[in-house]
Amino acid sequence: MDLKNGVRPLAIMLSRKTTGAIQPDGDTRQMLRPGYATNADSLTMAAHVVAVEFATVAAANYWRD
């Protein structure tokens, strides 16, 4: 699986699903988005969520029997 067509889109999808699970109300997410969309720290933290979510799944798959 390459980065462009497999791993990265999967990591982004996982983080989006996690965000949706944490804040299931779409209207609230849309209301909050302008506040973090222009904040470099918030965008960095969002990227961190992608990395942690994917690393968690990858680690679980690695250790599975």
Side-chain angles (χ1 to χ4, degrees):
M1 199 179 284
D2 62 67
L3 288 176
K4 182 178 178 185
N5 296 314
V7 175
R8 186 149 197 243
L10 177 60
I12 291 170
M13 181 196 66
L14 288 170
S15 67
R16 291 182 75 183
K17 295 293 185 184
T18 298
T19 301
I22 292 168
Q23 178 48 267
D25 183 29
D27 291 336
T28 299
R29 286 194 311 272
Q30 289 298 330
M31 180 186 69
L32 296 172
R33 184 176 172 88
Y36 68 78
T38 57
N39 181 312
D41 289 337
S42 293
L43 294 172
T44 300
M45 287 187 274
H48 181 73
V49 169
V50 173
V52 170
E53 185 73 16
F54 192 75
T56 301
V57 171
N61 285 331
Y62 178 77
W63 291 106
R64 185 176 59 188
D65 289 335

